Amino acid sequence: QVQLVESGGGLVQPGGSLRLSCAASGISFSVNAMGWYRQAPGKQRELVATITGGGSTSYADSVKGRFTISRDNAKNTVSLQMNSLKPEDTAVYYCNAVPYYLSRSWGQGTQVTVSS
């Protein structure tokens, strides 16, 4: 029932930028906190950015100052602007509710690769 569709990933050089987008359906988008998660090979999934229904944001220390999360409740979308990208940002990025178990589902994610 829940559908989460991420897009915008790709291959960029260190120092470059990408903007990820997520279209959500089947959840109470306007009242739920939403977040961007990422998982690199051999690593645990981590929450990197959160935005509440009221628009308050928080970030993991590893991305603070470089990433910005935003949402458009009218369109049921959430975005992640990523600047000053580093090789360690390479991962599959997913959007989901925060906490994630509220949705009972994950999308396919979008691959971000930072390499020269």
Side-chain angles (χ1 to χ4, degrees):
Q1 184 175 354
V2 174
Q3 294 187 56
L4 299 160
V5 182
E6 301 92 347
S7 62
L11 173 65
V12 296
Q13 295 184 350
S17 297
L18 282 173
R19 186 175 179 87
L20 307 183
S21 296
C22 172
S25 64
I27 61 173
S28 299
F29 187 87
S30 64
V31 299
N32 286 338
M34 295 291 294
W36 283 94
Y37 303 76
R38 69 185 183 188
Q39 187 165 25
K43 301 288 187 179
Q44 292 287 324
R45 181 195 62 207
E46 63 174 333
L47 177 65
V48 297
T50 301
I51 185 165
T52 70
S56 298
T57 60
S58 62
Y59 301 90
D61 288 343
S62 58
V63 308
K64 192 171 298 182
R66 301 187 297 118
F67 291 10
T68 303
I69 189 171
S70 60
R71 69 192 295 164
D72 185 337
N73 290 339
K75 297 181 178 180
N76 281 18
T77 58
V78 59
S79 298
L80 186 69
Q81 178 66 47
M82 305 185 296
N83 299 325
S84 302
L85 284 162
K86 304 175 180 180
E88 52 262 46
D89 295 318
T90 296
V92 178
Y93 284 72
Y94 303 88
C95 66
N96 215 326
V98 179
Y100 66 88
Y101 55 76
L102 292 173
S103 74
R104 298 185 178 183
S105 182
W106 292 91
Q108 294 299 305
T110 186
Q111 176 72 50
V112 172
T113 302
V114 185
S115 177
S116 60

